[in-house]
Amino acid sequence: MLEAANDIYSSLTGRFKGDLLRPNDAGYEAARAIWNGMVEKRPGLIARCADLSDIQATVRAASQSKILTAVRCGGHSLAGFSTCEGGLVIDLSHLRSVTANKDTQRARFAGGCLLGSIDTATQKSGLVFPSGVVSHTGASGLILGGGTGWLTRKFGLSCDNVEGFTLVTGDGSIVRAHSKENEDLFWALRGGGGNFGIVTEFEVKLHPLSGVTLVQGLTPEPEIRRLLEFWRDFMADAPLDLKWNIDLRVAPEAEHLPRELRGRPVASSSLVWTGVPEAGRRYLRQATSLCTPESVTSGVVSYLHLQTMADSAFPHGQRYYTKSGYFTHLEDGTIGHLIEALNSIASSGTQIELAYLGGAAAQIDASETAFGDRSAPFILNLLANWSEPAADAAHIGWVRRVFAKLRPAMKPGVYVNFMSGDEQDRVPEAYQHRWERLVAVKTHYDPNNFFRLNQNVRPRNEPCNRGPRQIASG
Ligand SMILES: Cc1cc2nc3c(=O)[nH]c(=O)nc-3n(C[C@H](O)[C@H](O)[C@H](O)COP(=O)(O)OP(=O)(O)OC[C@H]3O[C@@H](n4cnc5c(N)ncnc54)[C@H](O)[C@@H]3O)c2cc1C
Protein backbone atom coordinates (compact mmCIF):
# COMPACT_ATOMS: atom_id res chain seq x y z
CA MET A 1 0.00 0.00 0.00
CA LEU A 2 2.95 2.35 0.64
CA GLU A 3 3.83 2.09 -3.03
CA ALA A 4 0.30 3.23 -3.94
CA ALA A 5 0.61 6.13 -1.49
CA ASN A 6 3.88 7.18 -3.13
CA ASP A 7 2.31 6.97 -6.59
CA ILE A 8 -0.52 9.25 -5.47
CA TYR A 9 2.01 11.62 -3.94
CA SER A 10 3.87 11.82 -7.27
CA SER A 11 0.69 12.32 -9.26
CA LEU A 12 -0.50 15.18 -7.00
CA THR A 13 2.83 16.97 -6.53
CA GLY A 14 2.94 20.23 -8.44
CA ARG A 15 -0.81 20.74 -8.67
CA PHE A 16 -1.95 20.09 -5.08
CA LYS A 17 -2.40 23.37 -3.17
CA GLY A 18 -2.62 21.96 0.37
CA ASP A 19 -0.09 19.80 2.26
CA LEU A 20 1.05 16.33 1.24
CA LEU A 21 2.59 14.63 4.27
CA ARG A 22 4.50 11.35 4.19
CA PRO A 23 5.92 9.45 7.20
CA ASN A 24 9.25 11.29 7.39
CA ASP A 25 7.91 14.78 6.71
CA ALA A 26 7.84 17.51 9.34
CA GLY A 27 4.31 17.78 10.67
CA TYR A 28 3.41 14.19 9.81
CA GLU A 29 3.42 12.91 13.42
CA ALA A 30 1.00 15.59 14.60
CA ALA A 31 -1.16 15.23 11.50
CA ARG A 32 -1.58 11.47 11.79
CA ALA A 33 -3.02 11.56 15.34
CA ILE A 34 -6.75 11.25 15.80
CA TRP A 35 -8.82 11.90 18.91
CA ASN A 36 -9.04 8.30 20.16
CA GLY A 37 -5.55 7.35 21.40
CA MET A 38 -6.49 3.66 21.05
CA VAL A 39 -6.17 4.04 17.29
CA GLU A 40 -2.48 4.30 16.38
CA LYS A 41 -2.12 4.15 12.60
CA ARG A 42 0.56 5.34 10.19
CA PRO A 43 -0.99 6.32 6.86
CA GLY A 44 1.27 6.28 3.81
CA LEU A 45 0.06 9.74 2.80
CA ILE A 46 -1.98 12.51 4.40
CA ALA A 47 -3.46 14.87 1.82
CA ARG A 48 -4.55 18.00 3.68
CA CYS A 49 -6.69 19.66 1.05
CA ALA A 50 -6.82 23.42 0.50
CA ASP A 51 -9.90 23.52 -1.70
CA LEU A 52 -12.46 21.59 -3.67
CA SER A 53 -10.13 20.87 -6.57
CA ASP A 54 -7.59 19.31 -4.18
CA ILE A 55 -10.32 16.98 -2.92
CA GLN A 56 -11.39 16.05 -6.44
CA ALA A 57 -7.82 15.41 -7.61
CA THR A 58 -7.06 13.26 -4.56
CA VAL A 59 -10.24 11.22 -4.86
CA ARG A 60 -9.62 10.60 -8.57
CA ALA A 61 -6.04 9.47 -7.97
CA ALA A 62 -7.02 7.30 -5.01
CA SER A 63 -9.99 5.61 -6.61
CA GLN A 64 -7.88 4.66 -9.63
CA SER A 65 -5.20 3.12 -7.42
CA LYS A 66 -7.75 1.41 -5.10
CA ILE A 67 -5.73 2.49 -2.07
CA LEU A 68 -7.46 2.23 1.32
CA THR A 69 -8.73 5.77 1.95
CA ALA A 70 -9.92 7.50 5.10
CA VAL A 71 -11.73 10.84 5.16
CA ARG A 72 -11.18 13.11 8.15
CA CYS A 73 -13.09 16.11 9.38
CA GLY A 74 -12.59 16.44 13.18
CA GLY A 75 -10.98 13.01 13.64
CA HIS A 76 -13.43 12.16 16.48
CA SER A 77 -14.75 8.91 15.08
CA LEU A 78 -14.87 6.74 18.22
CA ALA A 79 -14.25 3.79 15.94
CA GLY A 80 -11.10 5.37 14.50
CA PHE A 81 -12.37 5.51 10.92
CA SER A 82 -10.54 8.73 10.07
CA THR A 83 -7.14 7.11 9.68
CA CYS A 84 -5.69 3.89 8.26
CA GLU A 85 -2.48 1.90 8.20
CA GLY A 86 -0.33 2.54 5.13
CA GLY A 87 -3.18 4.07 3.10
CA LEU A 88 -4.37 7.58 2.33
CA VAL A 89 -6.03 10.12 4.62
CA ILE A 90 -7.99 12.92 2.97
CA ASP A 91 -7.80 15.59 5.67
CA LEU A 92 -10.33 18.44 5.51
CA SER A 93 -9.05 20.39 8.51
CA HIS A 94 -8.07 23.44 6.44
CA LEU A 95 -11.62 23.77 5.13
CA ARG A 96 -13.44 25.52 7.94
CA SER A 97 -15.21 28.51 6.44
CA VAL A 98 -18.69 29.35 7.74
CA THR A 99 -21.08 31.95 6.33
CA ALA A 100 -24.18 32.78 8.36
CA ASN A 101 -27.02 34.98 7.14
CA LYS A 102 -28.97 36.64 9.93
CA ASP A 103 -31.93 37.62 7.75
CA THR A 104 -32.60 34.24 6.18
CA GLN A 105 -31.46 32.32 9.29
CA ARG A 106 -29.42 30.05 7.09
CA ALA A 107 -25.70 29.11 7.02
CA ARG A 108 -23.27 27.38 4.73
CA PHE A 109 -20.17 25.72 6.08
CA ALA A 110 -17.32 23.66 4.75
CA GLY A 111 -16.77 19.93 5.30
CA GLY A 112 -13.81 20.35 7.66
CA CYS A 113 -15.59 22.46 10.30
CA LEU A 114 -15.51 21.68 13.98
CA LEU A 115 -18.69 22.37 15.94
CA GLY A 116 -16.94 25.30 17.63
CA SER A 117 -16.23 27.04 14.31
CA ILE A 118 -19.94 26.93 13.44
CA ASP A 119 -21.12 28.05 16.90
CA THR A 120 -18.71 31.00 16.95
CA ALA A 121 -19.81 32.20 13.53
CA THR A 122 -23.56 31.75 13.99
CA GLN A 123 -23.59 33.28 17.49
CA LYS A 124 -22.39 36.57 16.00
CA SER A 125 -25.95 36.84 14.70
CA GLY A 126 -27.55 35.31 17.82
CA LEU A 127 -28.34 32.12 15.93
CA VAL A 128 -27.62 28.43 16.52
CA PHE A 129 -27.21 25.29 14.48
CA PRO A 130 -28.27 22.34 16.69
CA SER A 131 -25.26 20.03 17.07
CA GLY A 132 -23.28 18.07 19.67
CA VAL A 133 -21.99 18.90 23.13
CA VAL A 134 -18.19 19.10 22.66
CA SER A 135 -16.88 21.93 20.51
CA HIS A 136 -13.80 20.11 19.19
CA THR A 137 -15.96 17.40 17.53
CA GLY A 138 -16.04 17.46 13.72
CA ALA A 139 -19.32 18.66 12.21
CA SER A 140 -19.24 16.40 9.15
CA GLY A 141 -19.05 13.06 10.93
CA LEU A 142 -21.58 14.18 13.52
CA ILE A 143 -24.17 15.50 11.07
CA LEU A 144 -23.84 12.67 8.56
CA GLY A 145 -24.54 10.13 11.34
CA GLY A 146 -27.45 12.18 12.75
CA GLY A 147 -26.21 14.56 15.46
CA THR A 148 -27.73 14.84 18.94
CA GLY A 149 -27.07 17.53 21.51
CA TRP A 150 -28.60 20.01 23.95
CA LEU A 151 -31.07 21.32 21.36
CA THR A 152 -32.29 18.03 19.88
CA ARG A 153 -35.60 18.06 21.71
CA LYS A 154 -36.25 21.65 20.74
CA PHE A 155 -35.02 21.78 17.11
CA GLY A 156 -34.42 18.15 16.05
CA LEU A 157 -31.26 16.30 15.11
CA SER A 158 -28.44 18.11 13.32
CA CYS A 159 -29.27 16.25 10.11
CA ASP A 160 -32.91 17.38 10.37
CA ASN A 161 -31.65 20.95 10.01
CA VAL A 162 -29.67 20.36 6.82
CA GLU A 163 -31.29 21.63 3.63
CA GLY A 164 -28.56 20.80 1.13
CA PHE A 165 -25.25 19.00 0.67
CA THR A 166 -22.49 19.38 -1.90
CA LEU A 167 -20.23 16.38 -2.19
CA VAL A 168 -17.43 14.84 -4.17
CA THR A 169 -18.29 11.28 -5.12
CA GLY A 170 -15.90 8.37 -5.69
CA ASP A 171 -15.22 9.32 -9.31
CA GLY A 172 -14.34 12.89 -8.37
CA SER A 173 -17.63 14.43 -9.57
CA ILE A 174 -19.37 17.22 -7.70
CA VAL A 175 -22.96 16.32 -6.80
CA ARG A 176 -25.64 18.36 -5.03
CA ALA A 177 -28.34 16.81 -2.90
CA HIS A 178 -31.40 18.58 -1.48
CA SER A 179 -35.13 18.07 -1.34
CA LYS A 180 -35.59 18.62 -5.09
CA GLU A 181 -32.36 17.24 -6.50
CA ASN A 182 -30.98 13.75 -5.93
CA GLU A 183 -33.63 13.21 -3.29
CA ASP A 184 -32.53 9.66 -2.49
CA LEU A 185 -29.01 10.86 -1.78
CA PHE A 186 -30.39 13.73 0.31
CA TRP A 187 -32.34 11.16 2.33
CA ALA A 188 -29.29 8.89 2.73
CA LEU A 189 -26.89 11.64 3.79
CA ARG A 190 -29.11 12.48 6.76
CA GLY A 191 -28.01 9.61 8.98
CA GLY A 192 -26.21 7.28 6.58
CA GLY A 193 -22.71 8.49 7.54
CA GLY A 194 -19.78 9.06 5.18
CA ASN A 195 -20.78 6.23 2.85
CA PHE A 196 -21.59 8.23 -0.27
CA GLY A 197 -18.89 10.82 -0.86
CA ILE A 198 -16.98 13.66 0.73
CA VAL A 199 -19.32 16.43 1.77
CA THR A 200 -17.64 19.71 0.98
CA GLU A 201 -20.48 22.04 1.96
CA PHE A 202 -23.56 21.91 4.17
CA GLU A 203 -26.51 24.32 3.81
CA VAL A 204 -28.42 24.50 7.07
CA LYS A 205 -31.27 26.14 8.93
CA LEU A 206 -30.47 28.20 12.02
CA HIS A 207 -32.57 29.19 15.05
CA PRO A 208 -32.48 32.25 17.28
CA LEU A 209 -30.90 31.46 20.70
CA SER A 210 -28.00 33.00 22.55
CA GLY A 211 -28.36 31.75 26.11
CA VAL A 212 -29.96 28.98 28.16
CA THR A 213 -30.61 28.17 31.80
CA LEU A 214 -28.13 25.53 32.91
CA VAL A 215 -28.59 23.54 36.13
CA GLN A 216 -26.18 20.85 37.29
CA GLY A 217 -26.17 18.67 40.37
CA LEU A 218 -24.99 15.37 41.82
CA THR A 219 -27.05 12.62 43.37
CA PRO A 220 -25.24 10.21 45.71
CA GLU A 221 -25.64 6.49 45.52
CA PRO A 222 -28.50 5.70 47.91
CA GLU A 223 -30.77 8.03 45.89
CA ILE A 224 -29.71 7.07 42.36
CA ARG A 225 -32.41 4.46 41.87
CA ARG A 226 -35.12 6.96 42.88
CA LEU A 227 -33.55 9.58 40.61
CA LEU A 228 -33.56 7.31 37.56
CA GLU A 229 -37.15 6.24 38.22
CA PHE A 230 -38.15 9.87 38.59
CA TRP A 231 -36.27 10.92 35.41
CA ARG A 232 -37.85 8.10 33.41
CA ASP A 233 -41.39 9.17 34.32
CA PHE A 234 -40.80 12.92 34.38
CA MET A 235 -39.27 13.16 30.91
CA ALA A 236 -42.24 11.45 29.26
CA ASP A 237 -44.29 14.66 29.77
CA ALA A 238 -41.50 17.23 29.91
CA PRO A 239 -41.67 20.33 27.68
CA LEU A 240 -39.50 20.48 24.55
CA ASP A 241 -37.54 23.30 26.17
CA LEU A 242 -36.08 20.87 28.70
CA LYS A 243 -33.14 18.56 28.05
CA TRP A 244 -31.98 16.46 30.99
CA ASN A 245 -28.93 14.21 30.64
CA ILE A 246 -27.64 11.98 33.40
CA ASP A 247 -24.10 10.60 33.58
CA LEU A 248 -23.37 7.84 36.06
CA ARG A 249 -19.75 8.26 37.07
CA VAL A 250 -17.24 8.65 39.86
CA ALA A 251 -17.29 12.25 41.12
CA PRO A 252 -13.97 14.03 40.58
CA GLU A 253 -11.78 15.07 43.51
CA ALA A 254 -12.69 18.70 42.86
CA GLU A 255 -12.68 21.36 45.55
CA HIS A 256 -15.97 22.90 44.47
CA LEU A 257 -17.81 19.63 45.20
CA PRO A 258 -19.08 18.63 48.65
CA ARG A 259 -16.31 16.61 50.32
CA GLU A 260 -18.52 13.57 50.95
CA LEU A 261 -19.21 13.15 47.23
CA ARG A 262 -15.64 13.38 45.94
CA GLY A 263 -14.39 10.11 44.49
CA ARG A 264 -17.81 8.50 45.12
CA PRO A 265 -20.18 6.95 42.55
CA VAL A 266 -22.78 9.58 41.65
CA ALA A 267 -25.44 10.45 39.10
CA SER A 268 -24.45 13.73 37.52
CA SER A 269 -27.47 15.62 36.14
CA SER A 270 -27.15 18.37 33.54
CA LEU A 271 -30.34 20.21 32.70
CA VAL A 272 -30.73 22.76 29.95
CA TRP A 273 -33.81 24.95 29.66
CA THR A 274 -34.11 26.82 26.36
CA GLY A 275 -37.27 28.81 27.13
CA VAL A 276 -37.91 31.89 29.23
CA PRO A 277 -36.05 31.27 32.55
CA GLU A 278 -39.08 31.89 34.80
CA ALA A 279 -41.13 29.29 32.93
CA GLY A 280 -38.48 26.63 33.55
CA ARG A 281 -38.03 27.16 37.27
CA ARG A 282 -40.57 24.65 38.54
CA TYR A 283 -39.32 21.89 36.21
CA LEU A 284 -35.71 22.49 37.16
CA ARG A 285 -36.55 22.59 40.88
CA GLN A 286 -38.40 19.29 40.66
CA ALA A 287 -35.65 17.68 38.62
CA THR A 288 -32.94 18.60 41.11
CA SER A 289 -34.93 17.61 44.20
CA LEU A 290 -32.86 14.41 44.52
CA CYS A 291 -29.48 16.15 44.16
CA THR A 292 -27.31 17.01 47.16
CA PRO A 293 -28.24 20.73 47.58
CA GLU A 294 -24.60 21.87 48.00
CA SER A 295 -23.71 20.29 44.66
CA VAL A 296 -26.35 22.19 42.66
CA THR A 297 -25.32 25.09 40.45
CA SER A 298 -27.79 27.11 38.44
CA GLY A 299 -27.75 30.12 36.17
CA VAL A 300 -28.21 31.57 32.72
CA VAL A 301 -25.17 30.90 30.52
CA SER A 302 -24.24 31.90 27.00
CA TYR A 303 -24.72 29.35 24.26
CA LEU A 304 -20.97 29.35 23.65
CA HIS A 305 -20.35 28.50 27.31
CA LEU A 306 -22.82 25.61 27.08
CA GLN A 307 -21.16 24.29 23.95
CA THR A 308 -17.64 24.31 25.39
CA MET A 309 -18.19 23.36 29.03
CA ALA A 310 -17.52 19.64 28.41
CA ASP A 311 -14.49 20.13 26.14
CA SER A 312 -11.83 19.32 28.73
CA ALA A 313 -13.59 16.14 29.91
CA PHE A 314 -12.84 14.43 26.59
CA PRO A 315 -9.21 15.21 25.78
CA HIS A 316 -7.48 14.17 22.56
CA GLY A 317 -5.17 11.19 22.87
CA GLN A 318 -6.87 9.43 25.80
CA ARG A 319 -7.97 5.85 25.20
CA TYR A 320 -11.71 5.38 24.60
CA TYR A 321 -14.04 2.47 23.94
CA THR A 322 -17.80 2.61 23.59
CA LYS A 323 -21.01 0.65 23.14
CA SER A 324 -24.45 2.06 22.83
CA GLY A 325 -28.12 1.20 22.51
CA TYR A 326 -31.72 2.32 22.91
CA PHE A 327 -34.42 1.52 25.42
CA THR A 328 -38.12 2.06 24.87
CA HIS A 329 -38.73 1.83 28.64
CA LEU A 330 -36.23 1.95 31.46
CA GLU A 331 -37.33 -1.11 33.44
CA ASP A 332 -36.55 -1.43 37.14
CA GLY A 333 -34.21 -4.35 36.34
CA THR A 334 -32.28 -2.18 33.88
CA ILE A 335 -31.90 0.53 36.51
CA GLY A 336 -30.51 -2.14 38.84
CA HIS A 337 -27.93 -3.20 36.22
CA LEU A 338 -26.94 0.43 35.64
CA ILE A 339 -26.29 1.00 39.34
CA GLU A 340 -24.32 -2.25 39.54
CA ALA A 341 -22.25 -1.08 36.56
CA LEU A 342 -21.64 2.31 38.19
CA ASN A 343 -20.23 0.57 41.23
CA SER A 344 -17.72 -1.31 39.10
CA ILE A 345 -16.39 1.68 37.08
CA ALA A 346 -12.60 1.59 37.20
CA SER A 347 -11.60 5.00 35.82
CA SER A 348 -12.58 8.53 36.83
CA GLY A 349 -13.13 9.49 33.17
CA THR A 350 -15.46 6.58 32.38
CA GLN A 351 -19.16 7.26 32.32
CA ILE A 352 -22.52 5.71 31.63
CA GLU A 353 -24.29 8.40 29.64
CA LEU A 354 -28.07 8.49 29.60
CA ALA A 355 -30.03 10.85 27.38
CA TYR A 356 -33.75 11.22 26.74
CA LEU A 357 -34.54 12.02 23.12
CA GLY A 358 -38.21 12.48 22.15
CA GLY A 359 -39.28 16.04 21.35
CA ALA A 360 -38.73 17.54 17.90
CA ALA A 361 -36.44 14.68 16.81
CA ALA A 362 -39.19 12.13 17.46
CA GLN A 363 -41.82 14.17 15.62
CA ILE A 364 -40.15 13.52 12.26
CA ASP A 365 -41.35 10.40 10.52
CA ALA A 366 -38.87 7.50 10.61
CA SER A 367 -38.97 7.24 6.82
CA GLU A 368 -38.00 10.87 6.21
CA THR A 369 -34.27 10.40 6.77
CA ALA A 370 -31.87 7.48 6.92
CA PHE A 371 -31.15 8.17 10.60
CA GLY A 372 -31.97 5.16 12.77
CA ASP A 373 -34.54 4.87 15.48
CA ARG A 374 -36.41 8.01 16.55
CA SER A 375 -39.05 6.22 18.58
CA ALA A 376 -36.99 4.89 21.50
CA PRO A 377 -36.50 7.84 23.81
CA PHE A 378 -33.74 6.46 26.04
CA ILE A 379 -30.20 6.45 24.62
CA LEU A 380 -27.45 4.74 26.57
CA ASN A 381 -23.78 5.22 25.84
CA LEU A 382 -21.13 3.33 27.78
CA LEU A 383 -17.94 5.32 27.35
CA ALA A 384 -14.74 4.01 28.91
CA ASN A 385 -11.96 6.60 29.10
CA TRP A 386 -8.48 5.76 30.43
CA SER A 387 -4.83 6.49 29.72
CA GLU A 388 -2.70 3.36 30.25
CA PRO A 389 -2.37 0.95 27.30
CA ALA A 390 -1.81 -1.85 29.81
CA ALA A 391 -5.36 -1.31 31.07
CA ASP A 392 -7.00 -1.72 27.63
CA ALA A 393 -8.35 -5.22 28.25
CA ALA A 394 -9.84 -4.28 31.62
CA HIS A 395 -11.71 -1.23 30.31
CA ILE A 396 -12.88 -2.81 27.07
CA GLY A 397 -13.94 -5.88 29.04
CA TRP A 398 -15.97 -3.70 31.44
CA VAL A 399 -17.88 -2.08 28.56
CA ARG A 400 -18.57 -5.42 26.92
CA ARG A 401 -19.76 -7.07 30.14
CA VAL A 402 -22.08 -4.21 31.08
CA PHE A 403 -23.43 -4.06 27.53
CA ALA A 404 -24.11 -7.81 27.49
CA LYS A 405 -26.13 -7.49 30.71
CA LEU A 406 -28.19 -4.57 29.40
CA ARG A 407 -28.63 -5.79 25.84
CA PRO A 408 -31.66 -8.10 26.41
CA ALA A 409 -33.76 -5.13 27.59
CA MET A 410 -32.70 -2.90 24.68
CA LYS A 411 -34.72 -2.13 21.61
CA PRO A 412 -32.89 -3.28 18.46
CA GLY A 413 -31.07 -0.31 16.94
CA VAL A 414 -28.02 1.80 17.59
CA TYR A 415 -26.83 5.31 16.78
CA VAL A 416 -23.95 4.86 14.30
CA ASN A 417 -21.91 7.69 15.79
CA PHE A 418 -21.77 5.95 19.18
CA MET A 419 -20.40 2.68 17.81
CA SER A 420 -16.91 1.21 18.05
CA GLY A 421 -14.81 -0.15 15.20
CA ASP A 422 -15.64 -3.78 15.99
CA GLU A 423 -19.40 -3.60 15.50
CA GLN A 424 -19.81 -3.93 11.73
CA ASP A 425 -22.39 -6.65 12.33
CA ARG A 426 -24.65 -4.05 13.99
CA VAL A 427 -24.77 -1.63 11.04
CA PRO A 428 -27.91 -3.15 9.45
CA GLU A 429 -29.44 -3.12 12.93
CA ALA A 430 -28.81 0.64 13.09
CA TYR A 431 -30.93 1.22 9.99
CA GLN A 432 -33.44 -1.66 10.10
CA HIS A 433 -36.20 -1.15 7.52
CA ARG A 434 -34.21 1.70 5.93
CA TRP A 435 -31.35 -0.69 5.13
CA GLU A 436 -32.37 -1.82 1.63
CA ARG A 437 -32.92 1.76 0.47
CA LEU A 438 -29.52 2.74 1.85
CA VAL A 439 -27.86 -0.16 0.04
CA ALA A 440 -29.53 0.98 -3.20
CA VAL A 441 -28.27 4.56 -2.79
CA LYS A 442 -24.80 3.28 -1.89
CA THR A 443 -24.76 1.00 -4.93
CA HIS A 444 -25.68 3.92 -7.17
CA TYR A 445 -23.22 6.49 -5.79
CA ASP A 446 -20.32 4.34 -4.57
CA PRO A 447 -20.52 0.96 -6.36
CA ASN A 448 -16.86 0.16 -5.60
CA ASN A 449 -17.17 0.99 -1.91
CA PHE A 450 -14.38 3.54 -2.17
CA PHE A 451 -15.78 5.20 0.98
CA ARG A 452 -15.61 2.20 3.25
CA LEU A 453 -13.89 3.43 6.41
CA ASN A 454 -17.17 4.16 8.15
CA GLN A 455 -20.05 2.16 9.65
CA ASN A 456 -20.16 0.62 6.24
CA VAL A 457 -23.14 0.07 3.99
CA ARG A 458 -21.74 -2.30 1.40
CA PRO A 459 -22.95 -1.86 -2.17
CA ARG A 460 -24.57 -4.75 -4.00
CA ASN A 461 -22.04 -6.81 -5.98
CA GLU A 462 -19.09 -5.06 -4.37
CA PRO A 463 -15.89 -5.94 -6.27
CA CYS A 464 -13.91 -8.40 -4.14
CA ASN A 465 -10.47 -6.82 -4.83
CA ARG A 466 -11.02 -3.92 -2.45
CA GLY A 467 -8.46 -5.04 0.13
CA PRO A 468 -8.94 -4.91 3.89
CA ARG A 469 -11.80 -2.99 5.49
CA GLN A 470 -9.66 -2.52 8.58
CA ILE A 471 -11.19 -3.06 11.95
CA ALA A 472 -10.12 -0.10 14.02
CA SER A 473 -9.82 -1.41 17.54
CA GLY A 474 -11.00 -3.75 20.22
C1 LIG B 1 -15.66 14.05 22.40
C2 LIG B 1 -16.82 13.60 21.55
C3 LIG B 1 -18.07 14.15 21.77
C4 LIG B 1 -19.14 13.74 20.99
N1 LIG B 1 -20.37 14.29 21.20
C5 LIG B 1 -21.39 13.95 20.41
C6 LIG B 1 -22.65 14.58 20.56
O1 LIG B 1 -22.85 15.41 21.42
N2 LIG B 1 -23.64 14.23 19.72
C7 LIG B 1 -23.46 13.30 18.73
O2 LIG B 1 -24.39 13.04 17.98
N3 LIG B 1 -22.27 12.69 18.57
C8 LIG B 1 -21.25 12.98 19.39
N4 LIG B 1 -20.06 12.36 19.24
C9 LIG B 1 -19.91 11.33 18.21
C10 LIG B 1 -19.58 12.00 16.90
O3 LIG B 1 -20.78 12.37 16.27
C11 LIG B 1 -18.80 11.07 15.98
O4 LIG B 1 -17.63 10.66 16.63
C12 LIG B 1 -18.48 11.74 14.65
O5 LIG B 1 -18.08 10.75 13.75
C13 LIG B 1 -17.39 12.77 14.78
O6 LIG B 1 -17.22 13.43 13.58
P1 LIG B 1 -15.77 13.89 13.06
O7 LIG B 1 -16.00 14.64 11.82
O8 LIG B 1 -15.00 14.51 14.16
O9 LIG B 1 -15.13 12.48 12.80
P2 LIG B 1 -14.08 11.94 11.76
O10 LIG B 1 -13.35 10.92 12.56
O11 LIG B 1 -13.32 12.98 11.09
O12 LIG B 1 -15.03 11.23 10.72
C14 LIG B 1 -16.02 10.32 11.13
C15 LIG B 1 -16.61 9.59 9.93
O13 LIG B 1 -17.20 10.55 9.06
C16 LIG B 1 -16.57 10.51 7.78
N5 LIG B 1 -16.40 11.89 7.33
C17 LIG B 1 -15.75 12.88 7.96
N6 LIG B 1 -15.85 14.01 7.25
C18 LIG B 1 -16.57 13.74 6.15
C19 LIG B 1 -17.04 14.50 5.06
N7 LIG B 1 -16.78 15.80 4.95
N8 LIG B 1 -17.78 13.89 4.12
C20 LIG B 1 -18.06 12.57 4.21
N9 LIG B 1 -17.65 11.79 5.23
C21 LIG B 1 -16.92 12.38 6.20
C22 LIG B 1 -15.25 9.82 8.02
O14 LIG B 1 -14.77 9.20 6.90
C23 LIG B 1 -15.59 8.84 9.12
O15 LIG B 1 -16.16 7.67 8.59
C24 LIG B 1 -18.97 12.75 19.99
C25 LIG B 1 -17.71 12.20 19.80
C26 LIG B 1 -16.65 12.61 20.56
C27 LIG B 1 -15.33 11.99 20.35
Side-chain angles (χ1 to χ4, degrees):
M1 208 143 46
L2 271 182
E3 204 179 311
N6 286 332
D7 289 347
I8 292 172
Y9 176 86
S10 305
S11 81
L12 292 176
T13 302
R15 60 192 173 117
F16 193 83
K17 298 178 224 66
D19 309 316
L20 293 172
L21 299 170
R22 291 188 293 177
N24 292 322
D25 291 338
Y28 171 88
E29 288 302 324
R32 81 180 172 88
I34 64 167
W35 172 80
N36 189 348
M38 280 275 286
V39 186
E40 266 278 329
K41 299 265 155 64
R42 298 187 68 80
L45 178 64
I46 300 170
R48 202 189 276 142
C49 301
D51 62 13
L52 185 59
S53 68
D54 273 359
I55 299 176
Q56 287 182 285
T58 311
V59 168
R60 285 195 182 113
S63 65
Q64 266 169 23
S65 85
K66 300 190 171 60
I67 189 171
L68 184 66
T69 300
V71 178
R72 182 185 308 166
C73 170
H76 277 44
S77 154
L78 288 143
F81 287 135
S82 38
T83 187
C84 56
E85 189 63 43
L88 169 71
V89 172
I90 300 180
D91 179 338
L92 307 175
S93 62
H94 280 182
L95 302 171
R96 294 200 170 147
S97 73
V98 184
T99 323
N101 184 321
K102 190 173 184 174
D103 298 329
T104 60
Q105 300 194 354
R106 297 289 187 277
R108 290 169 179 266
F109 52 82
C113 280
L114 304 184
L115 303 186
S117 16
I118 300 164
D119 291 338
T120 307
T122 54
Q123 276 296 283
K124 287 186 183 143
S125 308
L127 297 168
V128 291
F129 171 67
S131 65
V133 303
V134 172
S135 77
H136 49 74
T137 312
S140 284
L142 180 132
I143 299 168
L144 293 169
T148 65
W150 293 119
L151 306 181
T152 308
R153 284 172 53 77
K154 177 84 171 167
F155 299 127
L157 299 170
S158 305
C159 71
D160 298 337
N161 289 276
V162 181
E163 295 181 321
F165 300 87
T166 303
L167 64 158
V168 172
T169 52
D171 62 359
S173 312
I174 297 173
V175 174
R176 288 245 310 129
H178 55 81
S179 62
K180 297 195 172 59
E181 187 179 0
N182 297 315
E183 295 94 315
D184 263 2
L185 181 59
F186 181 56
W187 171 86
L189 286 165
R190 289 173 295 156
N195 271 288
F196 312 97
I198 300 181
V199 176
T200 57
E201 188 177 76
F202 296 83
E203 295 156 54
V204 302
K205 276 190 290 197
L206 305 175
H207 306 269
L209 186 77
S210 46
V212 300
T213 307
L214 171 68
V215 178
Q216 294 181 293
L218 301 180
T219 303
E221 221 214 310
E223 299 292 347
I224 292 177
R225 173 176 285 280
R226 273 179 65 206
L227 175 83
L228 292 177
E229 287 168 359
F230 180 78
W231 176 69
R232 166 187 73 189
D233 302 335
F234 181 84
M235 284 311 292
D237 299 318
L240 299 195
D241 277 315
L242 183 70
K243 184 88 166 70
W244 179 1
N245 291 352
I246 297 180
D247 296 331
L248 304 181
R249 53 172 309 180
V250 176
E253 295 284 348
E255 273 187 17
H256 69 276
L257 296 180
R259 196 173 291 279
E260 70 276 14
L261 296 184
R262 294 181 205 162
R264 306 292 308 153
V266 292
S268 169
S269 286
S270 297
L271 294 113
V272 168
W273 175 262
T274 50
V276 181
E278 297 70 51
R281 268 194 202 121
R282 77 184 166 97
Y283 297 105
L284 297 168
R285 210 173 23 243
Q286 277 181 295
T288 46
S289 60
L290 289 168
C291 293
T292 300
E294 301 75 43
S295 73
V296 176
T297 57
S298 169
V300 173
V301 298
S302 72
Y303 184 68
L304 290 179
H305 172 85
L306 177 75
Q307 287 296 97
T308 50
M309 69 182 186
D311 283 6
S312 59
F314 303 97
H316 292 76
Q318 276 281 102
R319 306 176 85 74
Y320 299 92
Y321 184 77
T322 192
K323 274 194 187 289
S324 182
Y326 299 119
F327 297 97
T328 309
H329 306 287
L330 211 54
E331 305 293 351
D332 293 349
T334 301
I335 291 178
H337 288 321
L338 290 169
I339 293 170
E340 215 179 280
L342 168 63
N343 284 314
S344 61
I345 280 181
S347 148
S348 58
T350 292
Q351 48 192 36
I352 301 169
E353 302 172 343
L354 292 164
Y356 190 96
L357 208 62
Q363 286 163 6
I364 290 181
D365 193 86
S367 62
E368 236 176 84
T369 65
F371 178 79
D373 205 340
R374 289 165 181 271
S375 66
F378 298 97
I379 304 187
L380 164 89
N381 192 27
L382 303 168
L383 182 64
N385 167 346
W386 69 102
S387 51
E388 289 302 316
D392 286 359
H395 291 280
I396 292 170
W398 178 84
V399 172
R400 288 180 176 160
R401 276 193 306 280
V402 173
F403 182 76
K405 267 227 163 123
L406 293 167
R407 175 79 153 155
M410 286 178 184
K411 184 172 194 220
V414 58
Y415 173 31
V416 287
N417 279 352
F418 289 168
M419 289 167 72
S420 280
D422 56 359
E423 298 191 286
Q424 187 64 32
D425 56 325
R426 291 185 77 197
V427 183
E429 179 194 331
Y431 295 107
Q432 298 177 50
H433 58 270
R434 292 167 291 275
W435 179 248
E436 285 306 318
R437 187 172 173 194
L438 263 183
V439 171
V441 179
K442 174 75 176 183
T443 306
H444 182 78
Y445 286 96
D446 188 25
N448 295 323
N449 207 7
F450 175 72
F451 298 105
R452 63 188 184 281
L453 288 180
N454 41 47
Q455 298 300 353
N456 197 221
V457 178
R458 300 180 86 140
R460 287 193 191 101
N461 309 317
E462 179 185 5
C464 49
N465 61 345
R466 297 302 306 167
R469 219 200 108 254
Q470 177 193 276
I471 299 299
S473 61

